[in-house]
């Protein structure tokens, strides 16, 4: 009997290996082709409300995704909806830290806080950033402007705008005279915002130092702060609510934390020197009586 040569034996071994590889590929492809039909059938049964018909575990995409998404965020086919699960709720603004670990401005009724003031702003340094918190009694927008004087015009403005979809977006503007022009370059980051109880509230950070540019100021310098809020139409800001919005009495430094209260117009009437003098005169007249 002829003995096969070493080369013939090697060729037969290669053929056996190739045959085994082909068989493995056929099994894998057959299993992949059967999976969609089985998967869709299983989903239809589960959709009819029969929980017992749902397999305990399979290798379908729906089962894999459910490990990362709650079922209410999956469509009937088992694929995630475009809308992601909700993020953590907006953390309320702490006013106990005002004047201690952050600076605050309050405008409105004496003793008001971030949820009751007509306007509220806080700022604090966090590393190379400044974190701002804004809140106002409005369903439109709330903003702060950084100005070299106390007048509107040539100011860097950050605004939190409530749009028609219920979102609060952080936008960057530059005051050209009495008109706010939106600037596409937005220095804000880590943005948060919420509209609740007819109030627009937001929180964001922006760098202390920025490249020299006309529309963005360096916050390590001191600026007058312009406070404004007002209505919005389809997510676009309109004129502010009051004719003369409040302004900080002096320039503000991010390196100094103060808690400053400014009474709104309704509470300024009886605090003016003229009114106080008039009240004293009337009281004196009533006490002395008429001759």
């Amino acid at each position: 009997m002829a003995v096969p040569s070493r080369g013939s034996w090697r060729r037969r071994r290669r053929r056996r290996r190739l045959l085994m590889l082909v068989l493995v590929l056929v099994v894998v492809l057959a299993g992949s082709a059967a999976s969609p039909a089985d998967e869709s059938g299983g989903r239809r049964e589960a959709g009819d409300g029969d929980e017992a018909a749902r397999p305990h575990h399979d290798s379908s995409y729906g089962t894999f995704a459910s490990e990362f998404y709650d079922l209410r965020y999956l469509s009937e086919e088992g694929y995630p909806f475009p809308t992601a699960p909700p993020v953590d709720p907006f953390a309320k603004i702490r006013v106990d830290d005002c004047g201690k670990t952050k600076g605050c401005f309050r405008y409105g009724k004496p003793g008001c806080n971030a949820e009751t003031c007509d306007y509220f702003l806080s700022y604090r340094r966090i590393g190379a950033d400044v974190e701002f918190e804004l809140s106002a009694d409005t369903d439109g927008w709330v903003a702060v402007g950084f100005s070299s004087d106390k007048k509107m015009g040539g100011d860097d403005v950050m605004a939190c705008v409530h749009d028609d979809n219920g979102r609060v977006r952080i936008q960057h503007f530059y005051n050209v005279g009495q008109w706010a022009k939106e600037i596409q370059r937005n220095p804000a980051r880590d943005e948060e915002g919420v509209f609740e109880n007819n109030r627009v509230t937001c929180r964001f950070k922006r760098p202390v130092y920025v490249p020299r540019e006309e529309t963005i100021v360096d916050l390590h310098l001191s600026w007058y702060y312009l406070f404004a809020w007002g209505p919005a139409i389809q997510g676009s800001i309109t004129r502010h609510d009051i004719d003369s919005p409040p302004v900080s009495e002096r320039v503000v430094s991010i390196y100094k934390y103060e808690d400053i209260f400014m009474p709104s117009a309704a509470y300024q009437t009886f605090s003016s020197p003229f009114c106080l003098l008039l009240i004293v005169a009337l009281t004196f007249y009533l006490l002395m009586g008429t001759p």
Side-chain angles (χ1 to χ4, degrees):
M1 185 176 70
V3 179
S5 66
R6 180 173 298 180
S8 175
W9 179 78
R10 288 179 178 174
R11 285 194 293 272
R12 282 199 292 269
R13 187 172 62 176
R14 291 195 191 100
R15 291 193 192 100
R16 285 197 297 269
R17 289 180 179 176
L18 181 60
L19 179 61
M20 292 178 63
L21 180 60
V22 170
L23 290 175
V24 170
L25 290 175
V26 169
V27 171
V28 171
L29 292 174
S32 300
S35 295
D38 297 337
E39 182 180 346
S40 61
R43 286 197 186 107
R44 284 194 295 270
E45 294 174 4
D48 295 336
D50 185 8
E51 292 297 331
R54 184 188 298 273
H56 179 69
H57 177 78
D58 60 31
S59 59
S60 67
Y61 176 79
T63 301
F64 173 77
S66 66
E67 297 176 3
F68 298 93
Y69 293 86
D70 192 285
L71 289 177
R72 64 179 179 275
Y73 302 117
L74 296 178
S75 65
E76 292 181 355
E77 290 77 17
Y79 295 94
F81 287 116
T83 303
V87 297
D88 293 336
F90 186 90
K92 289 188 176 181
I93 299 175
R94 294 175 53 89
V95 296
D96 296 341
D97 299 332
C98 291
K100 301 173 185 176
T101 59
K102 63 182 179 182
C104 298
F105 286 90
R106 316 181 196 212
Y107 177 85
K109 181 180 179 180
C112 66
N113 56 37
E115 299 176 359
T116 58
C117 287
D118 293 352
Y119 178 98
F120 178 91
L121 175 139
S122 76
Y123 62 91
R124 64 169 176 160
R125 300 185 315 279
I126 302 179
D129 296 326
V130 181
E131 180 185 77
F132 289 94
E133 297 173 314
L134 282 74
S135 182
D137 184 14
T138 180
D139 62 356
W141 58 273
V142 54
V144 58
F146 309 103
S147 176
S148 58
D149 52 30
K150 293 186 176 183
K151 300 177 181 179
M152 184 176 177
D155 316 305
D156 178 1
V157 177
M158 300 299 300
C160 307
V161 184
H162 175 225
D163 63 21
D164 290 346
N165 295 322
R167 300 171 300 180
V168 174
R169 297 175 292 108
I170 316 300
Q171 295 180 263
H172 182 219
F173 294 88
Y174 183 76
N175 285 340
V176 180
Q178 301 294 308
W179 175 56
K181 176 184 177 182
E182 184 174 1
I183 306 299
Q184 294 302 317
R185 184 188 174 193
N186 191 341
R189 55 192 180 207
D190 295 343
E191 307 168 17
E192 300 177 78
V194 65
F195 177 70
E196 289 181 345
N197 302 322
N198 201 49
R199 293 189 69 89
V200 175
T201 305
C202 65
R203 181 183 292 114
F204 62 90
K205 298 175 185 175
R206 59 174 277 174
V208 175
Y209 297 93
V210 294
R212 186 176 181 84
E213 187 175 323
E214 181 184 7
T215 60
I216 304 178
V217 303
D218 274 334
L219 294 177
H220 76 281
L221 301 175
S222 297
W223 305 91
Y224 289 101
Y225 281 18
L226 312 179
F227 312 113
W229 62 99
I233 299 177
Q234 296 182 347
S236 299
I237 67 174
T238 60
R239 181 175 171 78
H240 38 69
D241 274 348
I242 55 180
D243 292 334
S244 299
V247 182
S248 62
E249 293 185 0
R250 55 183 182 274
V251 292
V252 179
S253 170
I254 62 170
Y255 303 102
K256 184 177 181 181
Y257 295 153
E258 297 181 276
D259 187 7
I260 298 176
F261 170 74
M262 299 174 290
S264 60
Y267 300 95
Q268 292 176 2
T269 305
F270 296 104
S271 61
S272 66
F274 175 78
C275 290
L276 292 176
L277 182 61
L278 180 61
I279 292 173
V280 170
L282 289 174
T283 303
F284 180 79
Y285 177 79
L286 291 175
L287 290 175
M288 294 299 294
T290 55

